[in-house]
Amino acid sequence: MPIRNLDKIFRPRRIAVVGASQRLLSVGQTVFQNLITGGFAGEIYPVNPRHTQLGEHPCYRSVQELPEPVDLAVICTPAQSIPEVIEQCGTAGIRGIVILSAGFRETGMAGSQLEQQVLSIARQFSGMRIIGPNCLGIMAPYVNLNASFATDMPLTGNIAFISQSGALCTAVLDWALEEKIGFSHFVSVGNMLDVGIADLIDYFALDPQTKSIILYVESITEARQFMSAARAFTKHKPIIAYKAGRFQESAKAAASHTGAMAGVDAVYEAAFARAGIVRVFELDDLFDCAELLARQRPPRGERLAIVTNAGGPGVMATDALLERAGVLAPLSKETIERLNGVLPPAWSHGNPLDVLGDAPPERFGNTLEIVLADSQVDGVLVVLSPQAMTDPAEAAAAVIKAAKMTSKPVLTSWMGGNKVHEGRTRLNNAGIPTYNTPEQAVRAFMHLVTYARNHQFLYETPQAMPVRYSLDRALLRELADAALQEGRDILSECTSKSLLEAYGIPVNRTVLARSAEEAVQLSQQMGLPVVLKVFSEQITHKTDVGGVELDLYEEHEISEAYERIMQRVKQARPDAEVQGVTVQRMVSEPEGHELILGVKRDPVFGMVLLVGAGGTSAELYQDRALELPPLNERLARHALESLRSWPLLTGYRGHPAVNLDQLIEVLIRLSYFVADLPEIVELDINPLMVTPVNAIALDARIVVDRSLNVKSTRPYSHLAIRPYPEEFTKSVTLKGGTQVRLRPIQPEDEDKWHELLRGCSPESIRARFRFTFQGTTHDMATRFCFIDYDREIAIVAERVDDSTGQLIGVGRMVADADHQEAEYAVLVGDHWQGQGLGSMLTDYCLEVCHTWGLKRMVAETAPDNRRMLDLFRKRGFAKQDSSSTDTVLLMKNLVTDSH
């Protein structure tokens, strides 16, 4: 229940303070006074059996004695009393709870058991929501709610601040008040017994006052919900996150190269990037981003113009920009000509714009106004250095005047101390972000540019690659079950390769030889030259123990190599049980490159994929990229493009490029492989040899945990992102005989989706979207084709007899954050109307909603759309009361539906 009853916490009408006190500086006294002095307009009831009156307020012995129903209880009593208090609150009908008390799992085993007791009691009362325990509290400035023991209320603003550190909350609050930065909500989440970060992201996504979120994160729980909520929010608004605890020693027990290379922090980095979250690594950057987010819109592009009255600071700003892969905005000829008309001849005539040390205030203002009008400029940084002729305060006034006429971000750096203090104050009061140094300003600008870049990449249309429909999942499951029955935690190279081969990943065939004679015989059958590798479950890195012999042509070479391997391994690892050697063809390709592909099961985010420079030096170079499965063409390509060795793969200094299409296909196949095998803990393909012709796995190793539950109640529970729901695919026949495949939409369908809408009349478009438009855009398509399958599904109707897979209709279901209700809409191409497709789509979408476990489906249509009204009426939809006269709201209850 992600956002259920959170209004009772953040928009309560009546509040009880349990443990309210008159003892100075106690938590109960501070919270009670904060609510009163903060201006909360609702009723506030103190609860404490030791008092009958607190100030002007009658004090009650328990929440059960309160004269009116209460929405929110703020609990300040000792930890041992909390179970009883929660039970009293539940009995009294209170469904919003904030527990400030400490003494729970942060104190050890006894505290953890107490916390579970509280949770067990809370679950007896349907709809009870709890923030905390062990938290500072919450603040909602727009409703004058300060339910915390912080001393001050933040100003109103558009940033929601969510923190796992109460101490950081007070520091940020103090800084924000000085800088006059406001917040929509301020939340210390504490131990997150119930309400977690994902719930809050979903809740604030629906809040009109929240335009961005800043997170301070120490750890993530329920990664699937977190990723889903964050991806939904960052589609439209930015999230900036600071992740503490970056250097945990997590790779010590790794059983593979991948386990050692994919550390905890690297996985968080990959997850944040996939969710569209901008990560900062310094607390100062968090403040700097808050400054910009609070006052300006995020930049639409990366091109920055720098206006300064001193050359040195301009160069500093330029260095900082280029170091972070920013772009100096190229000024148009028209802009240069206009600047020539208002600036002295000695100005820099380029970007950065040095308006000279004697610049009066109006020169700053005129320059800024002209530069902002240039379409090639996405944002402007104004840097002022106090010189003898400078008036920092009036220059600030001129900048404020010019900035009011644009929607582009304007940042400032008034460098210095007392001389620029008044100017900074004016800028802050006017809502223009100001920074102590140009580098700070550039960093903040580039963090928000990163958000724009991430957004563009995540919603870039991938190429269609026919991987999914060629996978033999039944064969894979059969092979996997057989391998698991062998009882090994580390599968042999032969078994590992057979599983990969079942998923269409090319492998170099490997066989086991238990003697030198058998190695010779198998080599002759396989074809020379060959490679011998030691075969032992206890040895991961074969080269380290002298367990590899390459390029063997002759019988005597093979026999001697076998004996050398046995001797070296016995010396290096006398404890290892050696069963022989594996024999495989020697693959030598002068134009080939060795990569490593790997998988690691992260305890937080589940399966994580790795690709990087491979071979025996993989861990030394650490040239790798991590991604969360599943992958599509764009995600796989982006991972490869991020490698330092990417130029080698694309052709370098006359060498041919590798077969990138096959390499990308292997990555995609591997992502589906691990999605279908939740028993995998670690996997290495090292090396994967990629050449201009193909890609082939030369070595493979899979580590499994046979105790993992394959048949989880939640599909793909080992993944942080729900893969394509292939199970919702069905074949139907229209009245005219056309064969149609009903299946979920995917990003690769964007061009077909555009074509579908181009084939619809304005009347059909208006009936579906309730307005008309001239044409579709990529931004529109990202909303309808790039979807989170945990939250929404669009079922498209695809012609089977058409070579392009033409889409002729689509039914779309969007679930609410609580996953109780789905909003439904359907569109059928004009040429295909009247053949029963709308009914088929609706009936199938109802089946999907049942499988999803939803309770209701709602739909809207125009009062004169008789065809749709009749379709819904026949399926048991009932009209609902609506204040709108131009739409009809209909609802179908799915819980009692016997469909």
Side-chain angles (χ1 to χ4, degrees), residues 124-145:
Q124 298 174 21
F125 302 100
S126 176
M128 178 177 281
R129 306 309 308 275
I130 299 174
I131 287 181
N134 186 32
C135 71
L136 180 77
I138 63 143
M139 288 173 269
Y142 281 99
V143 294
N144 297 317
L145 173 64

Side-chain angles (χ1 to χ4, degrees), residues 290-338:
E291 177 106 11
L292 185 53
L293 285 171
R295 305 185 190 283
Q296 304 279 334
R297 295 180 180 178
R300 295 183 178 177
E302 57 195 13
R303 300 166 299 182
L304 182 68
I306 301 167
V307 177
T308 178
N309 69 335
V315 173
M316 292 165 59
T318 302
D319 285 346
L321 181 70
L322 299 180
E323 182 183 7
R324 290 162 178 78
V327 177
L328 271 175
L331 303 178
S332 67
K333 290 183 179 180
E334 180 185 355
T335 297
I336 296 290
E337 291 174 2
R338 291 185 64 193

Side-chain angles (χ1 to χ4, degrees), residues 558-574:
I558 298 168
S559 180
E560 292 168 1
Y562 181 95
E563 298 300 336
R564 286 195 299 269
I565 289 175
M566 293 298 110
Q567 292 175 4
R568 288 194 296 256
V569 172
K570 185 176 182 180
Q571 292 177 354
R573 288 291 305 275

Side-chain angles (χ1 to χ4, degrees), residues 300 358 395 469 501:
R300 295 183 178 177
D358 64 348
Y469 301 113
E501 192 172 27

Side-chain angles (χ1 to χ4, degrees), residues 143-193:
V143 294
N144 297 317
L145 173 64
N146 184 357
S148 78
F149 56 91
T151 54
D152 299 293
M153 169 81 85
L155 303 173
T156 57
N158 301 122
I159 302 173
F161 183 75
I162 305 171
S163 175
Q164 286 184 301
S165 166
L168 182 65
C169 285
T170 57
V172 170
L173 179 57
D174 188 53
W175 167 83
L177 289 170
E178 181 179 347
E179 294 293 317
K180 293 183 171 56
I181 289 175
F183 294 87
S184 60
H185 296 85
F186 212 88
V187 186
S188 166
V189 295
N191 292 4
M192 295 189 291
L193 178 67

Side-chain angles (χ1 to χ4, degrees), residues 705-758:
D705 183 346
R706 288 170 287 119
S707 68
L708 294 174
N709 182 15
V710 180
K711 298 180 180 179
S712 171
T713 54
R714 186 176 192 184
Y716 300 100
S717 59
H718 61 300
L719 303 182
I721 298 174
R722 173 65 156 92
Y724 183 82
E726 187 177 340
E727 65 271 22
F728 295 134
T729 301
K730 179 180 181 180
S731 296
V732 297
T733 304
L734 302 185
K735 292 179 180 178
T738 302
Q739 297 292 312
V740 172
R741 179 187 295 114
L742 304 182
R743 63 167 177 83
I745 202 168
Q746 55 188 341
E748 291 86 343
D749 289 322
E750 179 177 340
D751 289 343
K752 299 177 185 179
W753 181 83
H754 287 298
E755 188 65 30
L756 168 62
L757 268 67
R758 279 194 292 268

Side-chain angles (χ1 to χ4, degrees), residues 15-30:
I15 301 175
V17 181
V18 183
S21 172
Q22 58 188 5
R23 180 164 54 88
L24 290 178
L25 301 181
S26 67
V27 173
Q29 187 261 350
T30 303

